[in-house]
Amino acid sequence: PGNGVCADGVGACSLRAAITEANSLAGADTITVPAGTFTTTIAGSNENANANGDLDITSPLAINGAGAASTIIQANALPQIANERVFHILAGGTSVTIAAVTIQNGVNRFATAIGGGGIRVEGATASLTLNNSTVTGNFSESRGGGIATNKANLTISGCTFDNNQAGSSVAGSSSSGGA
């Protein structure tokens, strides 16, 4: 990471490898994701270094897809099966724009990870602009089935939220914000 080359352990330029490279470089970066379905395949352990599970973003980044109907970024092929969300935008001045993608089937089940099945945006110095995208089939046991923020700036334009859920069957637990 940090050499300007997008390559994972076997030399392929995966979405995870592109984000890891962007996190390692100074300044804002842009990742163009072609049409297709991109599934996170490394089981999550609730870490924040983009090594497994959700796609952890720690630097300014734009992710541009080929359209919500044709670029799908998902945590699993089926809803409520994954063990982590799709995107995690961490605090620290991180400004992220995501456009023209579908974000689906993310799950937040970690007791220490409060909210955000599809996307979690951390802290007052982080921001997310979501344009012309679909957020669907995501689940959080606490809050924000589709998106959860913690004092972050959030701008949404031309998006569809569908079939996201927040809540737990555990007695005495509370939740809010399916979308």
Side-chain angles (χ1 to χ4, degrees):
N3 65 359
V5 178
C6 174
D8 62 14
V10 295
C13 183
S14 65
L15 181 55
R16 183 176 305 279
I19 290 171
T20 298
E21 190 63 28
N23 287 344
S24 299
L25 297 171
D29 295 289
T30 299
I31 298 171
T32 302
V33 184
T37 300
F38 304 88
T39 306
T40 58
T41 58
I42 305 170
S45 63
N46 200 27
E47 53 75 45
N48 292 326
N50 201 38
N52 60 55
D54 59 10
L55 299 166
D56 297 307
I57 301 172
T58 62
S59 68
L61 181 63
I63 297 174
N64 299 314
S70 58
T71 301
I72 299 167
I73 303 170
Q74 62 184 8
N76 196 285
L78 298 171
Q80 297 197 26
I81 301 297
N83 72 337
E84 202 159 352
R85 66 182 58 89
V86 181
F87 287 106
H88 186 189
I89 301 166
L90 288 105
T94 305
S95 177
V96 175
T97 298
I98 299 174
V101 302
T102 290
I103 298 165
Q104 70 182 22
N105 301 338
V107 174
N108 172 41
R109 285 196 166 90
F110 293 106
T112 59
I114 53 171
I119 304 171
R120 170 103 178 129
V121 188
E122 299 265 347
T125 60
S127 69
L128 170 64
T129 300
L130 186 65
N131 294 320
N132 304 316
S133 294
T134 298
V135 179
T136 185
N138 299 289
F139 171 78
S140 175
E141 285 186 347
S142 58
R143 64 192 125 214
I147 298 175
T149 67
N150 179 12
K151 301 177 184 174
N153 295 310
L154 180 62
T155 303
I156 299 171
S157 176
C159 294
T160 300
F161 288 79
D162 179 54
N163 200 29
N164 297 288
Q165 179 183 356
S168 172
S169 60
V170 175
S173 66
S174 64
S175 61
S176 60

